[in-house]
Amino acid sequence: MVQISTKKLVEPKSSDKVLYYYKLIKHEPLANKCHPLGTQGATSGTNTATLGTTQTKQFNIKDTGSINQQRVVNIILTNGDGSKTDVARDLYYAWEHHESIGLWRVDWNTIHTSGSKQVVNAEYSEVKISALPETEALNTAISQNVTFEVTGIARRYDEDGNPFVMSEDDFDDGMFSTVAKFYNFTLPGQIGTDGSGSVVENSTDDSHGGDSSATVKLGAATETGADK
């Protein structure tokens, strides 16, 4: 029998799955979890260090000094009705009062199981906002491309090179199951208006809400041949 060699599937990381979360340090109790900073959008960051150069007769000796980091987040502002947080209010307040914000950069490409819990790799930094632009272009959403200035250094790995992780307990309820979707599957009787005219949406987490008898189980071993 000819042995066929196989290669592992080459699968890149998706930039859409690197999302940012925040918490107002001075105004939220310890029990509060981190909140989404915006829907999926373009994000970037800079990690630089001051470069020192010592000239000699034959060549230059270079070394790096103090670290400077920025995190740039494209925030799509949403209506605050019924939301747990008001992102626009929180950012403006922190900018106006020169307050620090706790900022988490979460890479949802890295979800894995540690012990009995699902965890995801994350970075934490304490940041300040020096400029708070507001873009109100025609025919599109109101957005803010905010540059967060990192105080000290962002912490992504420990001194042994191991990534820091966050579990489901660190996020607002349902974040692990809803990060890749905007809405859960909803029945007609779960969405509509109440007596005051406000929109009500009573759907539940649909991660395991399908009919398991309706199709072949995902990942189940398959059988070949006529005899079973």
Side-chain angles (χ1 to χ4, degrees):
M1 183 176 179
V2 178
Q3 184 70 29
I4 301 176
S5 62
T6 59
K7 293 183 179 180
K8 290 184 177 181
L9 179 67
V10 177
E11 185 175 357
K13 286 188 175 183
S14 171
S15 59
D16 284 341
K17 291 186 177 180
V18 178
L19 305 179
Y20 286 83
Y21 298 80
Y22 79 101
K23 182 176 179 179
L24 291 182
I25 298 175
K26 288 188 177 181
H27 302 280
E28 299 194 57
L30 288 172
N32 276 21
K33 303 176 182 181
C34 63
H35 323 294
L37 187 54
T39 52
Q40 295 167 339
T43 60
S44 62
T46 59
N47 304 297
T48 60
T50 303
L51 182 64
T53 302
T54 302
Q55 294 183 334
T56 70
K57 291 182 178 181
Q58 292 183 317
F59 48 78
N60 293 334
I61 299 173
K62 296 183 181 290
D63 197 8
T64 52
S66 60
I67 289 173
N68 182 58
Q69 293 176 296
Q70 295 175 324
R71 295 294 176 259
V72 184
V73 186
N74 185 21
I75 302 163
I76 308 299
L77 298 182
T78 57
N79 286 327
D81 296 342
S83 298
K84 293 184 177 181
T85 56
D86 187 336
V87 176
R89 186 275 315 274
D90 290 347
L91 293 180
Y92 192 91
Y93 190 92
W95 169 80
E96 180 183 13
H97 294 86
H98 313 291
E99 292 186 0
S100 294
I101 297 175
L103 185 70
W104 289 265
R105 177 188 182 274
V106 180
D107 185 355
W108 290 99
N109 294 285
T110 64
I111 287 183
H112 58 284
T113 301
S114 177
S116 60
K117 286 187 176 182
Q118 275 195 318
V119 297
V120 62
N121 292 5
E123 169 196 274
Y124 172 73
S125 55
E126 189 172 315
V127 299
K128 296 237 177 162
I129 303 173
S130 62
L132 188 64
E134 293 181 284
T135 305
E136 299 168 359
L138 295 175
N139 301 319
T140 188
I142 297 178
S143 63
Q144 292 176 298
N145 201 56
V146 181
T147 299
F148 294 93
E149 302 287 345
V150 177
T151 300
I153 185 172
R155 296 295 291 161
R156 190 180 297 184
Y157 303 98
D158 67 12
E159 299 309 308
D160 298 318
N162 300 315
F164 293 108
V165 297
M166 299 171 69
S167 71
E168 187 173 1
D169 298 336
D170 298 312
F171 295 89
D172 282 338
D173 293 342
M175 189 57 61
F176 259 63
S177 60
T178 60
V179 69
K181 58 190 176 184
F182 287 106
Y183 305 103
N184 288 312
F185 179 81
T186 305
L187 296 171
Q190 293 177 317
I191 191 168
T193 57
D194 59 14
S196 63
S198 300
V199 175
V200 177
E201 197 268 320
N202 291 321
S203 66
T204 56
D205 179 19
D206 66 0
S207 299
H208 306 287
D211 182 359
S212 61
S213 66
T215 186
V216 178
K217 291 185 181 299
L218 187 65
T222 56
E223 296 180 353
T224 59
D227 298 332
K228 294 184 179 180

